[in-house]
Amino acid sequence: MNHHRFYRPGYPEDMALTEIIEAEGHLIDSHIMERIFDTVVECQGRFEVEKFHIGRTNSEASQLRMRVETPTKEQMDQLLSHLLGLGCVPVDAGDAALEEITRDRCAPEDFYSTTNHRTQIRLGGEWIDVQKQRMDATIVVVGHAAECRKLRDLRAGDKIVTGMRGIRVIPDTKDRDRNSFSFMSNEVSSERQVETAVSQTVAIMKAVREQGKKIVVVAGPVVVHTGGSNPLADLIRLGWVDALLAGNALAVHDIEAALLGTSLGIRQKDGRQEEHGHRNHMRAINAIYNCTNIEGAVAQGRLKSGVMYEAVKHKVPFVLAGSLRDDGPLPDTITDMNEAQNLYSAHLENAGLVICLSSMLHSIATGNMLPSWVKMVCVDINPAVATKLSDRGSAQTVGVVTDVGLFLDLLIRKLKN
C-alpha cells in the first residue's frame, strides 16, 4: 500500500512541521497500528501513509512508513514522544544526542526517560542495544555501549541521551506462535480457573528452566497467614526458586510459625488466638537476634523449618527490604532503600519468570525494575494488585485472583506430579 492518505485536519500546509516515521513488527494483530493513528489524531496532527507492507507469515513483520504533520514544534515533540513508545522512529533522526553532565545525580532537563521495552540508540550510524533495560531511567553511553541507569547513580562526566531522536523502542507484540509465554492472556480475572492458571504457570516454569533463566519469587506475609509457607518451602527445597524477594514481615511471620506455631498470634493448627500470641512475632525477632541472624539461627539448630530455613539450607539468595512500619526489624532486613532496590535489581537479572505472591508494595516495586519481556504471574485475592501493576507499565503481568495459599498448594502438587 503506497501514498494512501487517511487523515488531514484543517490547518495551513505552509505552517505544518513534518516528519517521516517508520515502524516494523506485528503491527496489526498487536493493535499497534491503530494506536499509532489514534495518537497522531489525539496530538492534533495529521498523517499520510506512504508505504504499508503486511507480513504474510507468522514470522514476517509488517512495515509502515508515514508522514506526520503538526502545526507547532511543541505538538511535534509531544507526538514523537508518544510514537516512540509505539516503536516508531523518525527516518532522518540521525544519531542519538548526547550531553555530558557536570554534577552527580543531575541529568539535563531534556534527558530521555526510558520505558521497560527493548530499546536501541543510534551511535555512529549504527543501532546498538541498551543494556539493563528498565522503566524510568536514563541512558548512559560509555564508548560504544549504552545502559539504563537510575538518576541517583549518575556521576559527573557521564554522557546522557537527550531528546527523542536516534532512539528506537521495540514494544512487545502479540506472539503469533502461541508459545508457553503467550497462552496465558495478560488480563486480571477472578473467572480464571485456579487449576488452569496453575497448570499454565507450571508450563512457563519448565520453559524458563529449559532456557537457562531464573525463577524469582516475590512474597508477602499473607503467604504465611494463608498456609502457604509449606508449599513455598517445598518450591525452594525442590529447586524451583532462584531468588526470594520480600519484606521484613514475610520472614518474621514465617519464623514465628516455625518457632512458635503461630502467625500474628493465630495458631496455625486450628486458627484460634494463642494466649498472649500478639507478642510472638517479637519473640521470633528476638530469637534471631540471639543467633546473630537467620543463617546463624539455622546453623545453631534454633530454626528448623519454614521458608527462610529452606532458603538458607539450599543457598537460595533472599532480600528483605525494610519499611517504615517494620517491627524489629530482623538483623537481615535492609533498611537502606537504595541498597535494597539495588539488590532486588541484581537478583532479577536473567530472570525469565517472576511470581508475585500477595504483596502489593514489593510486586509493584519489582515490576518497575523489570524489562517488559520478563513474564510476571501475580497471585492475590485482591484484583486491584495485578491491575495496578499493569497500570504502572508492567503490562506483561498475568493476574490470578485467588487465595495464595491455595494457589501454592496446587502449584507444588502439580510440580511434584
Side-chain angles (χ1 to χ4, degrees):
M1 184 191 303
N2 294 290
H3 295 287
H4 184 78
R5 184 163 296 179
F6 280 85
Y7 180 77
R8 298 185 68 87
Y11 53 79
E13 295 256 355
D14 57 359
M15 294 176 63
L17 289 161
T18 303
E19 290 279 358
I20 305 296
I21 65 167
E22 291 182 334
E24 183 174 333
H26 297 318
L27 303 178
I28 297 178
D29 42 1
S30 293
H31 305 289
I32 290 178
M33 192 166 75
E34 63 187 80
R35 292 168 62 192
I36 292 173
F37 294 157
D38 288 344
T39 298
V40 176
V41 175
E42 289 166 3
C43 291
Q44 304 301 308
R46 59 192 184 190
F47 61 81
E48 178 181 338
V49 175
E50 296 189 341
K51 176 183 177 183
F52 180 57
H53 171 76
I54 301 176
R56 299 181 180 181
T57 66
N58 285 14
S59 58
E60 185 180 358
S62 299
Q63 296 172 330
L64 170 68
R65 180 185 176 104
M66 61 188 285
R67 180 190 304 273
V68 295
E69 298 175 354
T70 61
T72 68
K73 180 180 184 303
E74 290 74 18
Q75 287 172 313
M76 179 60 76
D77 290 342
Q78 181 187 39
L79 175 59
L80 291 180
S81 174
H82 291 314
L83 291 179
L84 187 64
L86 296 173
C88 298
V89 183
V91 172
D92 300 319
D95 283 358
L98 304 180
E99 185 172 333
E100 185 173 318
I101 63 173
T102 58
R103 295 176 58 194
D104 293 354
R105 297 180 292 276
C106 295
E109 288 191 8
D110 63 339
F111 75 92
Y112 174 72
S113 184
T114 61
T115 69
N116 58 355
H117 296 307
R118 298 180 192 274
T119 302
Q120 298 176 327
I121 64 169
R122 188 150 58 187
L123 289 178
E126 177 186 356
W127 289 103
I128 66 169
D129 293 329
V130 175
Q131 304 300 317
K132 300 181 180 180
Q133 191 64 52
R134 58 165 297 156
M135 67 174 73
D136 302 327
T138 65
I139 297 178
V140 177
V141 174
V142 180
H144 202 64
E147 69 174 28
C148 291
R149 194 176 298 174
K150 293 184 70 66
L151 277 171
R152 67 168 182 251
D153 296 324
L154 296 181
R155 295 295 178 263
D158 286 342
K159 294 180 179 179
I160 310 299
V161 174
T162 60
M164 294 292 169
R165 298 182 178 277
I167 302 167
R168 176 189 288 163
V169 176
I170 308 169
D172 284 355
T173 56
K174 190 175 181 180
D175 191 334
R176 289 174 173 174
D177 292 327
R178 306 291 188 212
N179 62 27
S180 61
F181 286 90
S182 64
F183 63 77
M184 286 184 80
S185 60
N186 293 25
E187 61 183 16
V188 182
S189 174
S190 58
E191 300 301 319
R192 177 184 287 124
Q193 287 192 349
V194 178
E195 291 83 357
T196 301
V198 167
S199 297
Q200 294 172 337
T201 302
V202 168
I204 295 177
M205 293 170 72
K206 291 179 178 179
V208 165
R209 278 299 163 79
E210 290 174 0
Q211 294 173 4
K213 294 187 177 296
K214 298 192 298 188
I215 299 171
V216 178
V217 169
V218 180
V222 177
V223 169
V224 182
H225 309 331
T226 58
S229 289
N230 288 338
L232 179 54
D234 285 346
L235 282 176
I236 295 171
R237 184 170 58 253
L238 295 176
W240 286 104
V241 179
D242 297 297
L244 175 65
L245 309 180
N248 181 69
L250 171 79
V252 168
H253 297 302
D254 171 68
I255 292 167
E256 176 192 343
L259 296 181
L260 301 166
T262 62
S263 174
L264 279 179
I266 303 299
R267 294 199 297 254
Q268 292 204 308
K269 63 181 180 181
D270 58 15
R272 301 186 67 179
Q273 178 73 45
E274 178 86 358
E275 186 175 3
H276 305 302
H278 64 282
R279 299 184 297 196
N280 282 1
H281 72 287
M282 295 305 299
R283 292 188 177 118
I285 294 170
N286 185 57
I288 300 301
Y289 268 102
N290 275 281
C291 297
T292 304
N293 54 23
I294 297 174
E295 185 177 357
V298 173
Q300 295 174 39
R302 185 72 189 273
L303 185 61
K304 300 178 181 179
S305 64
V307 173
M308 304 312 299
Y309 169 82
E310 296 295 347
V312 171
K313 289 293 289 184
H314 295 280
K315 296 180 172 54
V316 173
F318 61 86
V319 181
L320 305 179
S323 70
L324 189 63
R325 66 183 183 181
D326 286 341
D327 288 322
L330 289 165
D332 302 81
T333 299
I334 299 168
T335 56
D336 183 325
M337 286 300 97
N338 288 349
E339 181 185 355
Q341 284 184 359
N342 289 340
L343 287 171
Y344 263 47
S345 293
H347 288 300
L348 290 168
E349 289 185 12
N350 199 39
L353 172 65
V354 177
I355 303 175
C356 298
L357 304 170
S358 289
S359 176
M360 180 181 293
L361 175 66
H362 297 96
S363 296
I364 292 174
T366 301
N368 290 344
M369 302 176 191
L370 286 174
S372 62
W373 57 88
V374 178
K375 181 70 77 177
M376 297 183 72
V377 175
C378 180
V379 184
D380 205 293
I381 200 69
N382 182 2
V385 177
T387 300
K388 286 184 178 181
L389 262 171
S390 295
D391 289 346
R392 284 163 172 77
S394 302
Q396 73 269 37
T397 304
V398 174
V400 182
V401 181
T402 188
D403 176 272
V404 70
L406 170 64
F407 179 89
L408 284 168
D409 184 63
L410 292 173
L411 183 65
I412 193 63
R413 289 173 186 268
K414 188 76 174 177
L415 285 166
K416 285 181 177 179
N417 290 336

